[in-house]
Amino acid sequence: MNSECTPRFLASDNTSGICPEAMEYLLEANQADDLAYGNDRWTARAADRFRDMFDFDCDVFFVFNGTAANSLALSAMGRSYHSVICHELAHIETDECGGPEFFSNGAKLLTSPGANGKLTPEGIEALVTKRSDIHYPKPKVISLTQATEVGTVYSREELLAIRAMADKYDLRLHMDGARFANACASLDATPAELTWQVGVDALCFSGTKNGLAFGEAILFFNRELAEDFSYRCKQAGQLASKMRFVSAPWLGLLESGAWLTNAQHANAMARYLSDGLQALPGVSLMFPTQANSVFVELPPRAIEALKARDWTFYTFIGAGGARFVCAWNTTVELLDQLLNDIQEVLE
């Protein structure tokens, strides 16, 4: 890395710091001692705030990271001989090191293709009906990523259509909400409208990508699935002794409304970048920009030149493609620098 340059991070919303609202509540929770293992007032207050926000008496659990959230939630939604249907680009398939299979004691992931990173009712049905013999892992759960791994979002109509297919085959519906806040902002929809009102049984809601240092919330709208879930969390090493430092920053997001304003800002920055890229000659987007991620086709020489200028971004989608992710603290000035550098390296 060029020591004269400052790394410029657009690889992920994981690279951003703690937003002020979360930090304020974290420091407040540090002013006095409290009970351990989630028996503190901060955790109870955060859980109640989620219930108010979703307008549903759901069961709420807090864990450290998204892999644990997804893996543990899915392990509660099926048995070891079941299978989980997901998109071929889903994070649980490509980036969780077999965690869902491990924590479910072997439940298999069945993957389906789909345009713009989205599962379709037809793709789901094809996997469910592919085989029905006892030698095939019985489909039991559908897992959706909202927003998707390629920065698109499922509309309410798409979610309802998938729920109808789930009902047809007695399947449960899990939502990986790593960027759920961005989906709500993109669709101008309430959390309830994108979850239990369209038949979602369990949601893994990320705080890390929304302005927290760490911490994910697992919400069970189908409360029967949450039976003994606290024991799963404990066994998996996800029960924080000082749980208030996980839950209090969540309150900073929820009580101030920052969960939504942070997502709205990140989405707006992604649209700004997307518009700027499309104005450059010879540049084309790989997917619609609907949340806070922008995917663009760039020649290998341009990618290497940008990295030499200390831009951080991922190219895991495929040869010639680059992903830039905006966060709660991304600035227009930073994106203007990127657009200028992309223009220069393409000349």
Side-chain angles (χ1 to χ4, degrees):
M1 182 179 293
N2 187 339
S3 61
E4 296 180 357
C5 295
T6 300
R8 294 175 285 184
F9 296 106
L10 284 167
S12 172
D13 31 17
N14 288 330
T15 61
S16 63
I18 306 173
C19 71
E21 296 84 357
M23 182 66 80
E24 177 186 349
Y25 277 65
L26 178 64
L27 293 174
E28 187 178 344
N30 195 45
Q31 294 302 306
D33 293 354
D34 211 323
L35 295 174
Y37 302 112
N39 296 309
D40 59 280
R41 60 190 177 92
W42 295 95
T43 301
R45 183 170 146 195
D48 285 341
R49 188 64 186 85
F50 270 116
R51 296 181 184 108
D52 292 340
M53 176 178 168
F54 282 81
D55 193 25
F56 197 95
D57 188 21
C58 52
D59 282 336
V60 183
F61 302 87
F62 297 97
V63 296
F64 292 109
N65 55 43
T67 295
N70 285 329
S71 299
L72 293 174
L74 289 170
S75 73
M77 299 178 76
R79 298 184 182 275
S80 59
Y81 50 82
H82 285 148
S83 56
V84 177
I85 295 172
C86 62
H87 193 274
E88 62 185 359
L89 297 179
H91 202 270
I92 60 172
E93 164 67 10
T94 64
D95 291 283
E96 293 186 348
C97 196
E101 295 95 331
F102 176 81
F103 282 100
S104 64
N105 291 318
K108 184 175 176 59
L109 301 184
L110 303 178
T111 65
S112 173
N116 293 325
K118 292 192 278 188
L119 279 176
T120 64
E122 297 76 18
I124 293 167
E125 188 167 41
L127 286 173
V128 175
T129 60
K130 181 178 179 180
R131 286 174 60 179
S132 59
D133 60 273
I134 200 169
H135 304 288
Y136 190 67
K138 183 179 181 181
K140 192 61 178 179
V141 184
I142 300 169
S143 180
L144 304 176
T145 311
Q146 177 79 310
T148 74
E149 295 297 324
V150 297
T152 56
V153 297
Y154 288 92
S155 68
R156 274 178 50 83
E157 292 72 23
E158 288 172 319
L159 293 172
L160 286 168
I162 289 173
R163 180 69 251 183
M165 186 60 65
D167 289 339
K168 181 177 179 179
Y169 292 104
D170 190 26
L171 304 175
R172 293 160 177 166
L173 189 55
H174 163 263
M175 181 172 282
D176 176 353
R179 296 183 175 92
F180 179 74
N182 302 93
C184 290
S186 176
L187 294 166
D188 192 23
T190 67
E193 288 173 331
L194 295 184
T195 53
W196 64 268
Q197 290 184 7
V198 292
V200 172
D201 292 302
L203 167 72
C204 297
F205 191 162
S206 174
T208 309
K209 291 177 168 59
N210 194 225
L212 301 189
F214 53 85
E216 318 292 299
I218 306 169
L219 282 63
F220 284 99
F221 305 104
N222 182 344
R223 297 183 66 180
E224 292 181 0
L225 299 175
E227 182 180 0
D228 290 338
F229 192 76
S230 57
Y231 286 86
R232 290 185 186 272
C233 293
K234 172 62 178 180
Q235 188 179 62
Q238 292 294 317
L239 177 62
S241 56
K242 297 183 179 181
M243 184 69 81
R244 67 188 186 276
F245 296 122
V246 179
S247 56
W250 264 113
L251 275 172
L253 295 184
L254 302 181
E255 294 192 347
S256 69
W259 74 272
L260 183 58
T261 55
N262 283 351
Q264 289 170 333
H265 175 79
N267 288 5
M269 291 297 94
R271 288 194 300 272
Y272 181 87
L273 176 58
S274 180
D275 291 343
L277 287 168
Q278 291 180 87
L280 297 178
V283 172
S284 60
L285 300 182
M286 300 172 67
F287 306 100
T289 303
Q290 297 178 341
N292 64 320
S293 302
V294 181
F295 294 79
V296 61
E297 293 181 351
L298 293 173
R301 61 174 179 82
I303 288 174
E304 293 307 313
L306 288 173
K307 289 182 176 180
R309 298 185 183 202
D310 286 308
W311 288 103
T312 68
F313 54 95
Y314 288 125
T315 56
F316 53 78
I317 288 297
R323 186 191 79 167
F324 300 98
V325 183
C326 299
W328 67 270
N329 59 346
T330 302
T331 63
V332 169
E333 291 75 18
L334 180 70
L335 299 181
D336 282 342
Q337 293 173 25
L338 174 63
L339 289 167
N340 182 71
D341 279 4
I342 290 176
Q343 184 173 16
E344 288 184 1
V345 300
L346 289 174
E347 291 176 350

